[in-house]
Structures are given as C-alpha cells and as structure tokens.
Amino acid sequence: MKRPIIPHIGMRIVKTAVAVMLAYSIFAVLDLVYRKDYQGIWGMLGPNYACIACIVCTQSTLGQTLRQGVSRLIGVAVGGTLGVLVLLLGPVLDMPWVKALALGGVCVAGVWFCLLLKRPAACAMACIVPCVILITEVAGDDRFYYAGARIVETVIGVLVALLVNGVLPTNSRPEEPGGGAAGVQRVRLDNTARKLCVIGDPVEHSKSPLLQNTMIEALGLDYVYLCQPVPRGQCAQWLECAKFAGYAGFNATMPHKEELVPLMDELDGDAALFGAVNTVCIREGRAYGYNTDGAGFLRALASEGIAVAGSTVLLLGAGGAAKAVALKLSQAGAEAVYICNRTVEKAQELCALDPAGRLHPAGFDGETLKRLAAKADLLVNCTSLGMAGTAGQFADFSFLDALPRRAPVVDLIYAPAETQLLAQARARGHRTMNGMGLLIHQAVLSLEHFTGTNINPADMEAKIRAVMGE
C-alpha cells in the first residue's frame, strides 16, 4: 500500500495537544510556574510534569478510559508514597550506587503493588513518579516539597487527560463498515475463551463473524467467533471435529442447514418443523439444533412496527428462507399467506407443512401476482431476485401498482441494501425493509442459545447497525 505524502493526524494526537495546552494553561492562569518567591510546595509547582503526564496518558496504547484514569491515579499514589519513603534515607541517597539501587527497588515495588491490586494501567505512573522525585539535585527538606509538587502536577495531568479523552470523540475519521479502523473488530481473547463459528460452502463472504463478535465485545462475553469453510457433505466429520476441539457451537449457512438435521441429538420445534438447522449448540458432547430464522424475522418485523396477526401476506419464493418465514407467519397468526413460486409444486409442498392450513400455493405469473397483491397487507420477497452477484431480476414490477399503499414491502436480501424491488416500492409510497433486520435478530437469538445470556435485541440491533454503517 502506498504511503500517503501527508500523514493522517489521528484523534490521539489531537487529544495529546489539547491536553498539554490545557494542563499548561491551568498553571499559567494560577500563576504557578515555578515561582521562587513562593514558599514550600507552591514555589516548586509548574506545568512540566502535568504536561508529561498528559502525553503518557493520551499516547499510551491503553488509552484513557475512566477505569484506566483511576488506575493511573492509584499509580501516582503508590509511586508518590514509595518516592517519599525513600527520601527518608536522607543524605545517603546522594551516593550514586545507593540512588541506583533505590530507583530499581521503587520500580519493582511499584509494579508489584499495582499488579497486586490488579491495576496494570497503574504501573507506569508507579515507576515514573518516584523516579522524578529521586532524580533531582534538590537537597534537605526541600526534597519533600519537591516531591509534593511533582505528585500534585502529575495528578493534575492525569485528570486533564481523563477529561479531554471523555469530551473529545474517539476517532477523527468515520469508522468504516465493520467497526474500527479498516473494519477490524476488536474482541478480547483469553485462554479461557470458548470458540464459536459459522460453517458454509462458500462461507468467506459471511457477515456472521462481524455481527457475533460485535455482540460478544459489547456484552463482555468470554467467546470468540470464527469463520470455518466446510465442504458440502462433510457436516458429520465437522461435527466430530467441533466436539473434539471444544467448540461451544456454530451457525450453519448454505448448503448445510438440511444436512445437519439428522446429525442432531435434539431439535427444537422450529428446526424440526422447517427441516433445517442454522444454530448448533454443543453441550457435554451432545448436539442441539435450533433454527432462528423464523423467530428472527418476526422480531425484525416487530422492531419496524409491522403487525402480522390477522394480516394477508404475499410471499414470493418457496425455498429454505421462504419455508422458515411462511411457517412462522402462520404461527404468528397471519390470516393467509400466499406462496408464489415459479414451480407451483414446490409451493404446494411447503404449504402442506402448515398444520394450521393458513398457507396457500400460487404461481409467479404477472396476473397472479397482481390479483394477490391487491388484497395483501404485507409483501415479502424470499427469492434471490435482485441479490448482488446474481443475474436474476424481476421482469416486471407492475404488480406493485395493485398493492395497497398501506402494505409494507420486505426483501430478505441485504446486499444491496436497497434492491430494485424496494426502490420500486418506495417510489410508489410503500414502507420498505431489507434483510438486515432478519440477519441481526437471528444472530441475536443464536448468541442467546450459545451463551445462555438474555440479550436486549433493540440495543444489539443499534450497535450492529452502527458497526455496519447502516
């Protein structure tokens, strides 16, 4: 990658400059810039070590969160106490070898105390402050005034850095989709972290690692979520590998959802009804299969204020996604769901799975679409028509003219964010929704199964949409 001629000035540099200017200004306004005519500590106060503390705090890779700010204040207290105690050695401290031993001793002791308190962010200040106190030509009682002044200055610098970091934004350039610089998702990884992943063939395009790691980071969970290619027909081998490797579970995308069904020790109601598994939890060597697509779709509708009960739905497609959506719409109380598919026999097979008898098969020709659209309260596209990277597209959008204006139009496709179907519907005055909501809410439900954690779906949806630039 070619290096830019003019380097980008990051927010950390801006914060450092602002903190240093503010720290200096505090001392200048109070007229405390090493006034020799003042007595005691006041005469030795100045902005030097306050500015140094600002630089250390804002430039550190640890940053300056509230907890880290408190840790640094603890470090100042530990280092200041050690430095003052060593000053009690008196004139013997003027001997170079004694001072060298003292410096080494206070650094070791300062770090040890901070680690004992489980405050690693305090270690730097616990070393810097006593070194500043001890490396000086000041003698006699003035040494103690000098120590007090340095401690006060450093405390002010730490507080200024904490204030500046809290007031100014974190980044000076907008985050790219995917979170953080260059879309890197930062997840804490301990040796105790449990492994999760998504499998598919292909699977490298999956957004599941981004979504799941965003939630894992936000919730502070001790998990990590990966991407694992698994060839078609290899699910049985993968499941044994996952058990052996200690995976807590995994998600599955095409073409593995149906293949996993007979491999499960137990299936939840939706997975059994849909004949597809998209979430596998591994507990004590047993595999539990779930399907979160249908429930995720209902949650996505609810988050947009779209009612299902008593409605008439026009649903396009009869594949795996359509099966989960249609059967869940029936469970949620939709009065009628018309399944329109080019191969009517496939739509009939889907409708036969509905014990409530609310699903009705239909063709995909223009006249049928217009007739059913005229009485629909909701239109849902479950086909791949309009998806990025595919050649398929609707031949005609005139059926939208028959759709009542009140009826929302939902497309399960999320790439592109607005398909031609949604654009045409929006131009006709309809509310529109893409597939991002389903993607998010099924992922939230999956993580709840994996971890046993109750997750606020609205909070997670907001965080994920922000990371993805929605």
Side-chain angles (χ1 to χ4, degrees):
M1 182 177 177
K2 187 176 180 181
R3 186 182 296 274
I5 298 174
I6 302 177
H8 173 73
I9 301 300
M11 202 63 212
R12 182 176 293 183
I13 297 173
V14 174
K15 287 181 179 181
T16 303
V18 172
V20 168
M21 289 189 293
L22 182 58
Y24 177 81
S25 299
I26 290 173
F27 286 89
V29 169
L30 296 175
D31 197 20
L32 293 174
V33 185
Y34 309 115
R35 292 287 300 272
K36 299 299 183 183
D37 52 324
Y38 288 179
Q39 299 298 311
I41 290 177
W42 298 107
M44 295 188 177
L45 280 174
N48 190 25
Y49 291 100
C51 292
I52 291 174
C54 287
I55 295 169
V56 170
C57 291
T58 53
Q59 284 296 300
S60 169
T61 55
L62 289 170
Q64 181 73 337
T65 64
L66 179 60
R67 176 177 172 81
Q68 290 156 356
V70 171
S71 293
R72 289 187 173 110
L73 290 173
I74 291 173
V76 174
V78 170
T81 300
L82 291 172
V84 171
L85 289 175
V86 173
L87 288 179
L88 296 176
L89 291 174
V92 71
L93 194 60
D94 294 331
M95 301 173 66
W97 65 271
V98 173
K99 183 173 290 188
L101 290 174
L103 289 170
V106 294
C107 287
V108 171
V111 170
W112 184 80
F113 272 116
C114 293
L115 294 179
L116 185 66
L117 296 172
K118 297 184 178 180
R119 295 279 185 167
C123 293
M125 290 301 172
C127 293
I128 292 172
V129 173
C131 289
V132 168
I133 291 172
L134 298 177
I135 303 175
T136 175
E137 298 301 319
V138 179
D141 291 339
D142 284 347
R143 280 182 170 176
F144 294 96
Y145 296 138
Y146 180 89
R150 301 296 81 81
I151 293 171
V152 171
E153 290 171 15
T154 308
V155 167
I156 291 174
V158 172
L159 293 175
V160 167
L162 186 59
L163 173 66
V164 168
N165 192 75
V167 171
L168 295 183
T170 300
N171 287 309
S172 57
R173 63 172 72 177
E175 289 190 359
E176 299 179 23
V184 175
Q185 194 63 39
R186 295 176 176 81
V187 177
R188 178 179 174 179
L189 181 58
D190 294 327
N191 288 339
T192 56
R194 304 199 65 191
K195 296 184 290 295
L196 301 167
C197 72
V198 59
I199 67 170
D201 183 21
V203 74
E204 289 82 1
H205 65 284
S206 174
K207 293 187 182 297
S208 290
L210 173 59
L211 270 65
Q212 296 288 359
N213 284 322
T214 296
M215 293 191 288
I216 288 168
E217 181 184 31
L219 296 168
L221 299 174
D222 195 17
Y223 287 79
V224 62
Y225 194 99
L226 309 169
C227 178
Q228 178 62 54
V230 173
R232 182 189 294 268
Q234 299 295 310
C235 282
Q237 292 91 324
W238 159 251
L239 184 58
E240 292 306 311
C241 289
K243 291 178 180 179
F244 179 78
Y247 273 77
F250 56 89
N251 288 118
T253 186
M254 297 301 293
H256 301 316
K257 293 184 178 183
E258 291 78 16
E259 184 183 345
L260 284 167
V261 172
L263 301 176
M264 297 296 101
D265 295 298
E266 289 187 28
L267 290 172
D268 83 329
D270 281 354
L273 178 61
F274 304 160
V277 168
N278 76 338
T279 301
V280 177
C281 295
I282 301 175
R283 307 185 187 110
E284 298 180 355
R286 292 174 61 82
Y288 299 82
Y290 303 87
N291 192 302
T292 62
D293 286 335
F297 179 70
L298 292 185
R299 278 194 180 185
L301 291 182
S303 71
E304 294 292 330
I306 299 175
V308 171
S311 65
T312 297
V313 182
L314 174 57
L315 191 148
L316 309 180
K323 182 190 295 185
V325 169
L327 292 171
K328 209 63 183 177
L329 285 170
S330 176
Q331 287 182 359
E335 183 175 327
V337 180
Y338 293 94
I339 313 296
C340 296
N341 198 60
R342 298 187 191 281
T343 307
V344 179
E345 291 76 16
K346 191 170 182 182
Q348 291 171 338
E349 292 174 6
L350 195 165
C351 294
L353 298 174
D354 178 28
R358 295 191 175 101
L359 306 188
H360 308 283
F364 204 85
D365 59 279
E367 289 304 315
T368 300
L369 292 178
K370 289 178 183 177
R371 176 173 56 83
L372 296 177
K375 55 183 179 181
D377 301 305
L378 171 66
L379 187 152
V380 182
N381 177 40
C382 297
T383 73
S384 61
L385 298 176
M387 182 182 294
T390 63
Q393 186 56 269
F394 284 89
D396 181 18
F397 292 101
S398 62
F399 66 93
L400 291 174
D401 296 327
L403 189 68
R405 186 69 60 87
R406 69 179 185 280
V409 176
V410 178
D411 197 328
L412 297 194
I413 295 169
Y414 59 84
E418 185 176 67
T419 59
Q420 279 295 309
L421 174 66
L422 294 184
Q424 292 284 341
R426 182 172 54 80
R428 289 168 169 81
H430 294 277
R431 290 177 57 193
T432 61
M433 185 182 102
N434 68 11
M436 185 57 67
L438 165 59
L439 183 69
I440 292 171
H441 285 283
Q442 64 83 22
V444 170
L445 288 166
S446 291
L447 191 60
E448 288 183 337
H449 287 308
F450 290 141
T451 66
T453 302
N454 290 323
I455 302 172
N456 185 313
D459 287 349
M460 284 301 107
E461 182 175 8
K463 285 182 171 63
I464 292 171
R465 287 188 182 276
V467 167
M468 300 188 73
E470 281 280 298

